[in-house]
Amino acid sequence: MTTLSIFDQSQPEHARTVTQNPSEIRELLATKGIRFEQWPTRDLPADATQEQILEVYSEEVARLKEECGFQTADVVSLNPDNPQKEAFRQKFLDEHTHSEDEVRFFVRGQGLFYLHFGDQVYAVMCEKNDLISVPDGTRHWFDMGPEPEFTCIRLFSNPEGWVADFTGEDIASRLPRYEALAEAGG
C-alpha cells in the first residue's frame, strides 16, 4: 500500500506522521511541490519489453511530454534475481539532486522515495499505479530494497537520462531503510 512517513531529521528513528490515504498523501506532497497521482495500470506480461510497456502507456507518456516538456521516456525494471541488484541499490541510496524533474510511474512493484525538506524527510513508499514527480533541485534518494521488484516508466528533459549531483550529506544513512518501512507498513 502507498504510504507516506514524515520524519524529523533530529529524530530519524521514528516517523511523526504516517498515512496511507492517497488524497492526504497527494495534499501533503503538494505543499512541498511534489506531484503525486494514481493512474490506472494495465495488465502486461511479466516479460514485457520496454517497447511494449511504452506502447501500452503511449497516451499518458505523450501527455506528460507535452505538458512538462520531457524529451525522452524509458523503462527501468529490476527483479530479485538480478545479479547486480546490490550495486543498483547503492547507486541511488545517497542524497542527490537533479537539474530536471525526476518522474516515475510505477507499472509494477514498489520503491521508496525519500524527499529532504529542511529538517524533515518525507518517505513515500510508491507502488503500482503511483506517479511521482520530484522537482529539479529537490534533495532526495531512492531505496528499492534488498530484493527489488519494480518496473517504472521514467521521463527526462535531458536526453542523456538520469544525471545526479550528490550532496555529500549523510542523512540517507540515518533514516530507516526500505526493509524497516516496508515491514512496518510505513
Side-chain angles (χ1 to χ4, degrees):
M1 175 170 276
T2 304
T3 305
L4 171 62
S5 304
I6 302 175
F7 295 87
D8 287 319
Q9 184 173 318
S10 63
Q11 297 178 325
E13 59 281 351
H14 301 291
R16 68 171 177 83
T17 302
V18 177
T19 183
Q20 296 178 332
N21 178 320
S23 60
E24 185 177 4
I25 291 170
R26 184 174 27 265
E27 290 171 17
L28 287 166
L29 292 175
T31 67
K32 299 297 184 182
I34 306 297
R35 178 178 184 170
F36 177 80
E37 299 173 2
Q38 292 187 311
W39 291 1
T41 51
R42 297 175 184 93
D43 291 329
L44 291 164
D47 61 348
T49 66
Q50 172 174 284
E51 293 76 20
Q52 290 170 318
I53 293 169
L54 289 174
E55 175 61 31
V56 167
Y57 290 99
S58 62
E59 289 180 26
E60 291 88 346
V61 168
R63 187 173 65 244
L64 279 175
K65 282 182 173 180
E66 184 174 329
E67 177 185 330
C68 302
F70 296 117
Q71 301 297 309
T72 62
D74 72 7
V75 175
V76 62
S77 188
L78 276 174
N79 292 307
D81 62 354
N82 187 307
Q84 296 180 318
K85 65 185 176 188
E86 186 57 33
F88 282 122
R89 184 183 191 194
Q90 289 302 314
K91 178 179 178 178
F92 305 112
L93 273 179
D94 289 326
E95 184 182 70
H96 59 276
T97 62
H98 301 284
S99 61
E100 66 176 326
D101 294 357
E102 180 166 342
V103 179
R104 302 292 179 266
F105 173 60
F106 283 79
V107 174
R108 174 184 69 91
Q110 65 182 23
L112 185 57
F113 273 92
Y114 294 83
L115 311 162
H116 187 185
F117 306 106
D119 64 350
Q120 294 183 325
V121 176
Y122 286 46
V124 186
M125 181 67 78
C126 294
E127 65 176 12
K128 181 179 176 179
N129 297 71
D130 291 344
L131 173 113
I132 189 166
S133 179
V134 180
D136 67 339
T138 302
R139 292 173 170 249
H140 69 283
W141 63 97
F142 179 73
D143 190 352
M144 61 188 73
E147 299 295 321
E149 190 160 356
F150 69 91
T151 300
C152 288
I153 295 175
R154 310 184 302 176
L155 292 108
F156 300 100
S157 301
N158 179 350
E160 293 178 31
W162 192 87
V163 178
D165 182 19
F166 291 92
T167 67
E169 297 287 329
D170 71 345
I171 183 68
S173 67
R174 293 187 274 132
L175 268 82
R177 293 260 191 241
Y178 175 98
E179 301 88 322
L181 294 181
E183 183 178 298

mmCIF file with all atom_site columns, all heavy atoms in Angstrom, residues 60-73:
data_model
loop_
_atom_site.group_PDB
_atom_site.id
_atom_site.type_symbol
_atom_site.label_atom_id
_atom_site.label_alt_id
_atom_site.label_comp_id
_atom_site.label_asym_id
_atom_site.label_entity_id
_atom_site.label_seq_id
_atom_site.pdbx_PDB_ins_code
_atom_site.Cartn_x
_atom_site.Cartn_y
_atom_site.Cartn_z
_atom_site.occupancy
_atom_site.B_iso_or_equiv
_atom_site.pdbx_formal_charge
_atom_site.auth_seq_id
_atom_site.auth_comp_id
_atom_site.auth_asym_id
_atom_site.auth_atom_id
_atom_site.pdbx_PDB_model_num
ATOM 1   N N   . GLU A 1 60 ? -0.403 8.375  -22.089 1.00 0.00 ? 60 GLU A N   1
ATOM 2   C CA  . GLU A 1 60 ? -0.001 9.035  -20.853 1.00 0.00 ? 60 GLU A CA  1
ATOM 3   C C   . GLU A 1 60 ? 1.383  9.669  -20.997 1.00 0.00 ? 60 GLU A C   1
ATOM 4   O O   . GLU A 1 60 ? 1.620  10.801 -20.556 1.00 0.00 ? 60 GLU A O   1
ATOM 5   C CB  . GLU A 1 60 ? 0.002  8.037  -19.683 1.00 0.00 ? 60 GLU A CB  1
ATOM 6   C CG  . GLU A 1 60 ? -1.368 7.572  -19.266 1.00 0.00 ? 60 GLU A CG  1
ATOM 7   C CD  . GLU A 1 60 ? -1.888 6.348  -20.029 1.00 0.00 ? 60 GLU A CD  1
ATOM 8   O OE1 . GLU A 1 60 ? -1.312 5.993  -21.087 1.00 0.00 ? 60 GLU A OE1 1
ATOM 9   O OE2 . GLU A 1 60 ? -2.866 5.752  -19.558 1.00 0.00 ? 60 GLU A OE2 1
ATOM 10  N N   . VAL A 1 61 ? 2.305  8.934  -21.610 1.00 0.00 ? 61 VAL A N   1
ATOM 11  C CA  . VAL A 1 61 ? 3.664  9.448  -21.812 1.00 0.00 ? 61 VAL A CA  1
ATOM 12  C C   . VAL A 1 61 ? 3.626  10.679 -22.719 1.00 0.00 ? 61 VAL A C   1
ATOM 13  O O   . VAL A 1 61 ? 4.262  11.700 -22.421 1.00 0.00 ? 61 VAL A O   1
ATOM 14  C CB  . VAL A 1 61 ? 4.591  8.344  -22.379 1.00 0.00 ? 61 VAL A CB  1
ATOM 15  C CG1 . VAL A 1 61 ? 5.913  8.927  -22.867 1.00 0.00 ? 61 VAL A CG1 1
ATOM 16  C CG2 . VAL A 1 61 ? 4.829  7.261  -21.327 1.00 0.00 ? 61 VAL A CG2 1
ATOM 17  N N   . ALA A 1 62 ? 2.859  10.613 -23.797 1.00 0.00 ? 62 ALA A N   1
ATOM 18  C CA  . ALA A 1 62 ? 2.751  11.761 -24.713 1.00 0.00 ? 62 ALA A CA  1
ATOM 19  C C   . ALA A 1 62 ? 2.165  12.979 -23.995 1.00 0.00 ? 62 ALA A C   1
ATOM 20  O O   . ALA A 1 62 ? 2.638  14.107 -24.188 1.00 0.00 ? 62 ALA A O   1
ATOM 21  C CB  . ALA A 1 62 ? 1.898  11.390 -25.921 1.00 0.00 ? 62 ALA A CB  1
ATOM 22  N N   . ARG A 1 63 ? 1.168  12.740 -23.156 1.00 0.00 ? 63 ARG A N   1
ATOM 23  C CA  . ARG A 1 63 ? 0.551  13.836 -22.417 1.00 0.00 ? 63 ARG A CA  1
ATOM 24  C C   . ARG A 1 63 ? 1.555  14.495 -21.469 1.00 0.00 ? 63 ARG A C   1
ATOM 25  O O   . ARG A 1 63 ? 1.663  15.726 -21.401 1.00 0.00 ? 63 ARG A O   1
ATOM 26  C CB  . ARG A 1 63 ? -0.681 13.348 -21.652 1.00 0.00 ? 63 ARG A CB  1
ATOM 27  C CG  . ARG A 1 63 ? -1.460 14.476 -20.988 1.00 0.00 ? 63 ARG A CG  1
ATOM 28  C CD  . ARG A 1 63 ? -2.774 14.026 -20.368 1.00 0.00 ? 63 ARG A CD  1
ATOM 29  N NE  . ARG A 1 63 ? -2.567 13.104 -19.258 1.00 0.00 ? 63 ARG A NE  1
ATOM 30  C CZ  . ARG A 1 63 ? -2.967 11.832 -19.228 1.00 0.00 ? 63 ARG A CZ  1
ATOM 31  N NH1 . ARG A 1 63 ? -3.622 11.310 -20.246 1.00 0.00 ? 63 ARG A NH1 1
ATOM 32  N NH2 . ARG A 1 63 ? -2.741 11.070 -18.191 1.00 0.00 ? 63 ARG A NH2 1
ATOM 33  N N   . LEU A 1 64 ? 2.337  13.684 -20.740 1.00 0.00 ? 64 LEU A N   1
ATOM 34  C CA  . LEU A 1 64 ? 3.335  14.245 -19.831 1.00 0.00 ? 64 LEU A CA  1
ATOM 35  C C   . LEU A 1 64 ? 4.449  14.957 -20.599 1.00 0.00 ? 64 LEU A C   1
ATOM 36  O O   . LEU A 1 64 ? 4.932  16.003 -20.150 1.00 0.00 ? 64 LEU A O   1
ATOM 37  C CB  . LEU A 1 64 ? 3.938  13.146 -18.953 1.00 0.00 ? 64 LEU A CB  1
ATOM 38  C CG  . LEU A 1 64 ? 3.121  12.724 -17.748 1.00 0.00 ? 64 LEU A CG  1
ATOM 39  C CD1 . LEU A 1 64 ? 3.777  11.544 -17.045 1.00 0.00 ? 64 LEU A CD1 1
ATOM 40  C CD2 . LEU A 1 64 ? 2.938  13.877 -16.770 1.00 0.00 ? 64 LEU A CD2 1
ATOM 41  N N   . LYS A 1 65 ? 4.846  14.403 -21.733 1.00 0.00 ? 65 LYS A N   1
ATOM 42  C CA  . LYS A 1 65 ? 5.877  15.062 -22.544 1.00 0.00 ? 65 LYS A CA  1
ATOM 43  C C   . LYS A 1 65 ? 5.403  16.446 -22.980 1.00 0.00 ? 65 LYS A C   1
ATOM 44  O O   . LYS A 1 65 ? 6.143  17.421 -22.871 1.00 0.00 ? 65 LYS A O   1
ATOM 45  C CB  . LYS A 1 65 ? 6.232  14.214 -23.769 1.00 0.00 ? 65 LYS A CB  1
ATOM 46  C CG  . LYS A 1 65 ? 7.150  13.049 -23.474 1.00 0.00 ? 65 LYS A CG  1
ATOM 47  C CD  . LYS A 1 65 ? 7.479  12.310 -24.769 1.00 0.00 ? 65 LYS A CD  1
ATOM 48  C CE  . LYS A 1 65 ? 8.517  11.250 -24.572 1.00 0.00 ? 65 LYS A CE  1
ATOM 49  N NZ  . LYS A 1 65 ? 8.834  10.541 -25.837 1.00 0.00 ? 65 LYS A NZ  1
ATOM 50  N N   . GLU A 1 66 ? 4.176  16.521 -23.454 1.00 0.00 ? 66 GLU A N   1
ATOM 51  C CA  . GLU A 1 66 ? 3.650  17.799 -23.917 1.00 0.00 ? 66 GLU A CA  1
ATOM 52  C C   . GLU A 1 66 ? 3.453  18.773 -22.754 1.00 0.00 ? 66 GLU A C   1
ATOM 53  O O   . GLU A 1 66 ? 3.826  19.946 -22.833 1.00 0.00 ? 66 GLU A O   1
ATOM 54  C CB  . GLU A 1 66 ? 2.327  17.605 -24.653 1.00 0.00 ? 66 GLU A CB  1
ATOM 55  C CG  . GLU A 1 66 ? 1.791  18.910 -25.229 1.00 0.00 ? 66 GLU A CG  1
ATOM 56  C CD  . GLU A 1 66 ? 0.563  18.696 -26.090 1.00 0.00 ? 66 GLU A CD  1
ATOM 57  O OE1 . GLU A 1 66 ? 0.444  17.628 -26.733 1.00 0.00 ? 66 GLU A OE1 1
ATOM 58  O OE2 . GLU A 1 66 ? -0.276 19.609 -26.119 1.00 0.00 ? 66 GLU A OE2 1
ATOM 59  N N   . GLU A 1 67 ? 2.898  18.279 -21.667 1.00 0.00 ? 67 GLU A N   1
ATOM 60  C CA  . GLU A 1 67 ? 2.602  19.126 -20.510 1.00 0.00 ? 67 GLU A CA  1
ATOM 61  C C   . GLU A 1 67 ? 3.860  19.660 -19.828 1.00 0.00 ? 67 GLU A C   1
ATOM 62  O O   . GLU A 1 67 ? 3.901  20.811 -19.392 1.00 0.00 ? 67 GLU A O   1
ATOM 63  C CB  . GLU A 1 67 ? 1.784  18.307 -19.500 1.00 0.00 ? 67 GLU A CB  1
ATOM 64  C CG  . GLU A 1 67 ? 1.450  19.022 -18.214 1.00 0.00 ? 67 GLU A CG  1
ATOM 65  C CD  . GLU A 1 67 ? 0.742  18.095 -17.220 1.00 0.00 ? 67 GLU A CD  1
ATOM 66  O OE1 . GLU A 1 67 ? 0.029  17.164 -17.646 1.00 0.00 ? 67 GLU A OE1 1
ATOM 67  O OE2 . GLU A 1 67 ? 0.927  18.313 -16.011 1.00 0.00 ? 67 GLU A OE2 1
ATOM 68  N N   . CYS A 1 68 ? 4.903  18.836 -19.743 1.00 0.00 ? 68 CYS A N   1
ATOM 69  C CA  . CYS A 1 68 ? 6.074  19.190 -18.937 1.00 0.00 ? 68 CYS A CA  1
ATOM 70  C C   . CYS A 1 68 ? 7.357  19.395 -19.750 1.00 0.00 ? 68 CYS A C   1
ATOM 71  O O   . CYS A 1 68 ? 8.402  19.689 -19.166 1.00 0.00 ? 68 CYS A O   1
ATOM 72  C CB  . CYS A 1 68 ? 6.313  18.113 -17.884 1.00 0.00 ? 68 CYS A CB  1
ATOM 73  S SG  . CYS A 1 68 ? 4.903  17.854 -16.784 1.00 0.00 ? 68 CYS A SG  1
ATOM 74  N N   . GLY A 1 69 ? 7.296  19.180 -21.054 1.00 0.00 ? 69 GLY A N   1
ATOM 75  C CA  . GLY A 1 69 ? 8.471  19.394 -21.888 1.00 0.00 ? 69 GLY A CA  1
ATOM 76  C C   . GLY A 1 69 ? 9.492  18.272 -21.847 1.00 0.00 ? 69 GLY A C   1
ATOM 77  O O   . GLY A 1 69 ? 10.661 18.483 -22.191 1.00 0.00 ? 69 GLY A O   1
ATOM 78  N N   . PHE A 1 70 ? 9.081  17.086 -21.467 1.00 0.00 ? 70 PHE A N   1
ATOM 79  C CA  . PHE A 1 70 ? 10.022 15.964 -21.452 1.00 0.00 ? 70 PHE A CA  1
ATOM 80  C C   . PHE A 1 70 ? 10.387 15.574 -22.880 1.00 0.00 ? 70 PHE A C   1
ATOM 81  O O   . PHE A 1 70 ? 9.559  15.639 -23.787 1.00 0.00 ? 70 PHE A O   1
ATOM 82  C CB  . PHE A 1 70 ? 9.432  14.762 -20.707 1.00 0.00 ? 70 PHE A CB  1
ATOM 83  C CG  . PHE A 1 70 ? 9.173  15.029 -19.257 1.00 0.00 ? 70 PHE A CG  1
ATOM 84  C CD1 . PHE A 1 70 ? 7.886  14.988 -18.754 1.00 0.00 ? 70 PHE A CD1 1
ATOM 85  C CD2 . PHE A 1 70 ? 10.210 15.341 -18.396 1.00 0.00 ? 70 PHE A CD2 1
ATOM 86  C CE1 . PHE A 1 70 ? 7.638  15.251 -17.417 1.00 0.00 ? 70 PHE A CE1 1
ATOM 87  C CE2 . PHE A 1 70 ? 9.976  15.609 -17.055 1.00 0.00 ? 70 PHE A CE2 1
ATOM 88  C CZ  . PHE A 1 70 ? 8.685  15.563 -16.569 1.00 0.00 ? 70 PHE A CZ  1
ATOM 89  N N   . GLN A 1 71 ? 11.647 15.152 -23.051 1.00 0.00 ? 71 GLN A N   1
ATOM 90  C CA  . GLN A 1 71 ? 12.145 14.784 -24.369 1.00 0.00 ? 71 GLN A CA  1
ATOM 91  C C   . GLN A 1 71 ? 12.154 13.272 -24.598 1.00 0.00 ? 71 GLN A C   1
ATOM 92  O O   . GLN A 1 71 ? 11.951 12.821 -25.719 1.00 0.00 ? 71 GLN A O   1
ATOM 93  C CB  . GLN A 1 71 ? 13.574 15.322 -24.560 1.00 0.00 ? 71 GLN A CB  1
ATOM 94  C CG  . GLN A 1 71 ? 13.666 16.827 -24.433 1.00 0.00 ? 71 GLN A CG  1
ATOM 95  C CD  . GLN A 1 71 ? 12.865 17.537 -25.502 1.00 0.00 ? 71 GLN A CD  1
ATOM 96  O OE1 . GLN A 1 71 ? 13.005 17.238 -26.680 1.00 0.00 ? 71 GLN A OE1 1
ATOM 97  N NE2 . GLN A 1 71 ? 12.002 18.454 -25.092 1.00 0.00 ? 71 GLN A NE2 1
ATOM 98  N N   . THR A 1 72 ? 12.435 12.524 -23.546 1.00 0.00 ? 72 THR A N   1
ATOM 99  C CA  . THR A 1 72 ? 12.574 11.076 -23.695 1.00 0.00 ? 72 THR A CA  1
ATOM 100 C C   . THR A 1 72 ? 11.853 10.345 -22.558 1.00 0.00 ? 72 THR A C   1
ATOM 101 O O   . THR A 1 72 ? 11.605 10.907 -21.493 1.00 0.00 ? 72 THR A O   1
ATOM 102 C CB  . THR A 1 72 ? 14.055 10.636 -23.686 1.00 0.00 ? 72 THR A CB  1
ATOM 103 O OG1 . THR A 1 72 ? 14.628 10.976 -22.427 1.00 0.00 ? 72 THR A OG1 1
ATOM 104 C CG2 . THR A 1 72 ? 14.839 11.293 -24.806 1.00 0.00 ? 72 THR A CG2 1
ATOM 105 N N   . ALA A 1 73 ? 11.567 9.080  -22.816 1.00 0.00 ? 73 ALA A N   1
ATOM 106 C CA  . ALA A 1 73 ? 10.998 8.189  -21.803 1.00 0.00 ? 73 ALA A CA  1
ATOM 107 C C   . ALA A 1 73 ? 11.666 6.837  -21.960 1.00 0.00 ? 73 ALA A C   1
ATOM 108 O O   . ALA A 1 73 ? 12.011 6.426  -23.077 1.00 0.00 ? 73 ALA A O   1
ATOM 109 C CB  . ALA A 1 73 ? 9.487  8.056  -21.975 1.00 0.00 ? 73 ALA A CB  1
#
